[in-house]
Amino acid sequence: MALSCRCAGRVCGRAALGRAELRPRPPAAGVAGRAEAPSLARPGGHEVNGEELLEVCWRRHFLRGGAEPRQALPWRDYLSGCHLGFGPLGVALRGNLVSQWWDSALPFREQVLAVDAPLHGPPAAAAPQGLRLLRSEALHEALQGAGCRQEQGGRSLEEVLGAAGMLRESLLPGALAQYASCLELVNRRLPCGLAQTGVCFHSVPESEQHNKNLVRIGERTTSLLAWFSSPRTTGQWLDYWLRQRLQWWRKFAVAPSNFSSSDFQDEKGRKGFNLHYKFPWGTETIETLKNLGDTELLQMYPGDSSKLLGRDGRKNVIPHVLSASGNLDRGVLAYLFDSLQLAENPLTKKKIAQRKVLKLHPCLAPLKVALDVGKGPTTELRQVCQGLFNELSENRISVWPGYLETVQVSLEQLYAKYDEMSVLFTILITDATLENGVVQLRSRDTTMKEMMHISRLTDFLTKYVTSAKNV
């Protein structure tokens, strides 16, 4: 299959987007340059730069793309959605972020419905712009036969593009298309909302193109809350959701002040807010809230507008739409930057050997526990680890089976590895466990080690994650 952009009948033309996904940055900002990697100040006087984080993310498989030889820092590719994707730990981190996003709608479960829509839509020949999906053979035949299609009866390029499906660039149209049917489920009562997460596509801004003759296609995991309310309360709801969303992003951060907001007004005079994260090279938008009015709804349902009417007290009104659209992939990158901290290495005082710790929030950390074995009979210790692994997994506590590792390393090297993987606790099973059931529990955040009976582990870890979630 081939991806194509169509703009005024031209192949690979620039597709119009609702808003620019990335703003151009001057070369001096250091996003692409390895020698001038930007840095971010951390408590304790240590500075974290993009290159250090990238090395950790590649080494611990949060991100893909670390094969040698490496050229420049590819943070711009990760931000624009043009990269090889996330590694296993990055996928788990993003999954936890998506799960937390859904949990944030719990207080409004009676009013918010989950919806879904296909990644691609039917052909839209009348649309002059957009990303289209078509077979490369069909495009090749149309280009090759452009001069003789009249005699051979072949399809023109316009006909081929007109029959191609449209890739979605936003979750909003799919959600609005389900508004009328979902309104019946809430007894036509306002306010109400539709929530969705999924992948969207976009053409990369021209300033980010490596080849000016080709248009690159990026993708991103997106969240959407479409909130329908009476026109008289729209402004109040916009302020409310701004506070809620900014508080939500800050909830999981080590440095909450790096998340901020700014207001804007689009070309149609509609007001909204952008939520930003302060990366070392500058701020990037991670979520946009906008008051769309009733224009999109009326365009989605032309003709009979009675099906759009919702109940606002005793009145029936056509609601205004508030859209809160977040880029969760960029949110993952923001939390990776936010969580990286440099600490003194107990084995050496050299700065180059500083211990790197990803202090991701307990709710976001891809692995809560690592199980490893110390001194003692290997077979019996592994059996204990396997039983504990099953027990913790049954209680939805993610576990790393370090006891299966065959390469022997020191405990300090092991702890350094798990700190970079953002593992909350390391459990060490030793011969003492076989004798009295006591294990060693080491904390990522404090590096303190304590002894605990194996029967208490599941309850302790469950309460730890739950309490962190409720803060």
Side-chain angles (χ1 to χ4, degrees):
M1 306 293 283
L3 291 174
S4 172
C5 291
R6 181 188 184 197
C7 182
R10 293 183 286 108
V11 180
C12 293
R14 174 66 53 191
L17 298 177
R19 61 182 177 91
E21 285 298 314
L22 291 168
R23 296 185 298 279
R25 301 289 182 199
V31 178
R34 197 177 184 86
E36 300 181 8
S39 61
L40 199 62
R42 292 293 191 203
H46 299 308
E47 288 189 343
V48 175
N49 62 50
E51 184 174 355
E52 287 177 318
L53 177 61
L54 202 60
E55 292 289 345
V56 172
C57 290
W58 283 337
R59 183 165 60 247
R60 302 308 174 199
H61 303 285
F62 283 90
L63 301 176
R64 295 178 60 198
E68 296 287 355
R70 294 195 290 270
Q71 301 296 324
L73 278 176
W75 281 120
R76 182 56 57 182
D77 289 341
Y78 288 107
L79 287 165
S80 64
C82 294
H83 56 88
L84 297 176
F86 292 100
L89 293 191
V91 171
L93 170 57
R94 182 177 61 188
N96 290 342
L97 186 61
V98 172
S99 177
Q100 291 301 314
W101 185 88
W102 281 108
D103 286 348
S104 67
L106 280 177
F108 299 93
R109 176 164 286 182
E110 295 179 351
Q111 299 164 277
V112 177
L113 302 176
V115 296
D116 197 10
L119 287 170
H120 57 84
Q129 301 171 334
L131 301 176
R132 296 175 180 263
L133 184 67
L134 70 158
R135 296 185 64 84
S136 56
E137 294 87 345
L139 180 61
H140 180 73
E141 291 174 2
L143 292 173
Q144 292 294 323
C148 54
R149 61 177 182 270
Q150 298 279 348
E151 295 79 5
Q152 299 179 359
R155 293 195 300 172
S156 68
L157 181 59
E158 286 293 323
E159 292 172 333
V160 170
L161 291 177
M166 303 289 294
L167 284 175
R168 71 180 182 193
E169 300 181 51
S170 169
L171 297 178
L172 183 61
L176 294 181
Q178 301 179 61
Y179 164 76
S181 58
C182 290
L183 189 62
E184 298 293 338
L185 292 176
V186 296
N187 199 26
R188 311 191 74 84
R189 186 178 64 252
L190 298 176
C192 62
L194 300 179
Q196 183 181 358
T197 59
V199 174
C200 291
F201 301 87
H202 58 271
S203 56
V204 177
E206 187 173 341
S207 59
E208 306 299 329
Q209 299 290 342
H210 297 308
N211 187 334
K212 300 301 182 183
N213 297 321
L214 296 175
V215 172
R216 291 199 301 164
I217 306 299
E219 62 179 73
R220 65 196 185 280
T221 303
T222 306
S223 63
L224 172 72
L225 174 64
W227 187 253
F228 306 90
S229 65
S230 166
R232 66 181 179 84
T233 60
T234 301
Q236 299 173 19
W237 280 114
L238 182 60
D239 292 338
Y240 171 83
W241 284 115
L242 170 64
R243 293 192 301 270
Q244 290 293 314
R245 297 306 305 148
L246 186 58
Q247 181 181 10
W248 183 83
W249 284 107
R250 288 176 170 176
K251 174 182 177 180
F252 307 107
V254 175
S257 60
N258 284 328
F259 290 91
S260 61
S261 65
S262 63
D263 60 342
F264 69 88
Q265 188 168 326
D266 66 11
E267 63 279 358
K268 297 180 181 179
R270 299 180 297 190
K271 296 181 179 180
F273 295 92
N274 284 324
L275 303 185
H276 313 279
Y277 179 75
K278 184 181 178 182
F279 288 92
W281 55 82
T283 60
E284 300 285 354
T285 300
I286 56 174
E287 186 165 2
T288 296
L289 294 83
K290 183 185 288 189
N291 178 8
L292 301 175
D294 58 6
T295 305
E296 273 76 3
L297 264 183
L298 294 174
Q299 291 177 347
M300 182 65 65
Y301 298 90
D304 185 14
S305 61
S306 61
K307 63 178 68 174
L308 304 179
L309 295 175
R311 291 192 297 109
D312 175 34
R314 297 182 178 181
K315 296 182 179 179
N316 291 325
V317 297
I318 296 178
H320 281 196
V321 183
L322 298 180
S323 168
S325 179
N327 187 331
L328 297 182
D329 285 347
R330 195 173 291 180
V332 168
L333 301 180
Y335 284 124
L336 287 173
F337 266 98
D338 173 77
S339 66
L340 180 61
Q341 295 190 7
L342 302 183
E344 296 296 340
N345 192 324
L347 300 179
T348 177
K349 296 299 182 181
K350 295 181 180 180
K351 183 178 179 180
I352 193 174
Q354 285 176 328
R355 187 168 60 93
K356 301 176 180 65
V357 186
L358 283 181
K359 292 192 174 182
L360 289 166
H361 190 278
C363 293
L364 300 183
L367 296 167
K368 315 304 183 193
V369 174
L371 280 178
D372 241 287
V373 295
K375 294 181 179 180
T378 304
T379 302
E380 289 83 349
L381 294 181
R382 286 191 175 183
Q383 289 176 348
V384 175
C385 287
Q386 186 63 60
L388 186 56
F389 179 94
N390 294 336
E391 179 183 342
L392 294 175
S393 299
E394 289 173 359
N395 285 273
R396 299 183 179 275
I397 298 173
S398 53
V399 187
W400 179 260
Y403 58 89
L404 299 178
E405 182 62 59
T406 57
V407 178
Q408 296 295 321
V409 297
S410 69
L411 282 179
E412 289 302 331
Q413 289 174 316
L414 195 65
Y415 295 148
K417 170 185 174 181
Y418 291 151
D419 285 344
E420 291 184 355
M421 294 169 65
S422 197
V423 179
L424 297 179
F425 294 99
T426 301
I427 300 175
L428 196 62
I429 308 295
T430 65
D431 51 1
T433 310
L434 302 178
E435 296 176 4
N436 53 30
V438 173
V439 302
Q440 178 183 285
L441 189 69
R442 188 258 187 188
S443 168
R444 175 201 69 185
D445 295 337
T446 67
T447 70
M448 298 292 291
K449 306 179 185 70
E450 62 177 301
M451 308 307 290
M452 181 178 294
H453 196 274
I454 194 170
S455 62
R456 294 181 52 207
L457 282 174
T458 301
D459 185 58
F460 167 78
L461 294 169
T462 301
K463 289 182 178 178
Y464 182 89
V465 175
T466 301
S467 61
K469 181 178 180 180
N470 294 331
V471 171

